């Protein structure tokens, strides 16, 4: 059974890059959300094995999405990786403190993301 990954990223180009990176790694069912609202709509529909989210998105940003997922008993065990242009230590600490399992700063290499995905989907 394929693992299910939810990618929440408002940039179509970055979403496509993340999808291509994951497809090169294995057979995953990849779901795409262009913003936090779409992610919140998809969460109850599938049983996700991993969530990858950007921070800077309109409406519900990635940190709000992380907070929602990690405070919800139904979703709090889903590993969560933040990918963001926000690279300061303060931003990183904030994301991890909210419950993200990893924080990857853009631009990142495909290998960095693949290692994280393999780590959380073992």
């Amino acid at each position: 059974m394929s693992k299910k990954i939810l990618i929440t990223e408002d940039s179509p180009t970055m979403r496509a890059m993340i999808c291509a990176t994951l497809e090169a790694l294995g057979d995953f069912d990849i779901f795409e959300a262009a913003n936090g609202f779409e992610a919140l709509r998809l969460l109850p529909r599938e049983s996700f094995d991993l969530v990858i989210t950007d921070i800077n998105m309109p409406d519900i940003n990635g940190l709000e999405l992380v907070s929602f997922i990690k405070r919800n008993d139904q979703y709090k065990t889903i590993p969560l990786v933040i990918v963001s242009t926000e690279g300061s230590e303060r931003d990183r600490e904030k994301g991890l403190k909210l419950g993200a399992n990893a924080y990857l700063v853009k631009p990142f290499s495909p290998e960095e993301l693949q290692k994280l995905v393999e780590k959380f989907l073992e």
Side-chain angles (χ1 to χ4, degrees):
M1 189 164 161
S2 295
K3 300 283 187 174
K4 295 179 181 178
I5 302 174
L6 174 60
I7 299 168
T8 307
E9 167 65 62
D10 62 333
S11 163
T13 304
M14 182 56 71
R15 264 198 329 271
M17 191 204 103
I18 292 171
C19 286
T21 298
L22 299 181
E23 287 168 356
L25 193 59
D27 182 26
F28 301 115
D29 287 336
I30 297 173
F31 296 79
E32 298 179 43
N35 56 54
F37 278 128
E38 283 188 29
L40 292 178
R41 279 198 305 266
L42 288 172
L43 275 171
R45 296 181 186 171
E46 299 291 338
S47 178
F48 292 105
D49 299 292
L50 177 69
V51 173
I52 298 172
T53 186
D54 186 14
I55 288 180
N56 295 322
M57 297 183 290
D59 302 320
I60 297 176
N61 69 39
L63 293 176
E64 292 167 324
L65 181 63
V66 170
S67 179
F68 174 82
I69 289 172
K70 293 302 179 177
R71 286 186 295 140
N72 187 307
D73 287 340
Q74 187 176 353
Y75 311 122
K76 67 182 179 187
T77 59
I78 301 172
L80 205 151
V81 176
I82 293 174
V83 290
S84 178
T85 54
E86 304 297 329
S88 76
E89 192 57 35
R90 185 172 155 233
D91 292 320
R92 181 183 183 84
E93 284 178 16
K94 190 172 183 179
L96 295 174
K97 198 172 193 172
L98 286 172
N101 298 83
Y103 194 104
L104 195 56
V105 178
K106 297 175 189 174
F108 54 86
S109 71
E111 292 79 18
E112 288 176 290
L113 180 59
Q114 288 174 338
K115 283 180 186 176
L116 286 173
V117 170
E118 287 176 328
K119 175 182 173 183
F120 294 119
L121 293 183
E122 285 182 342

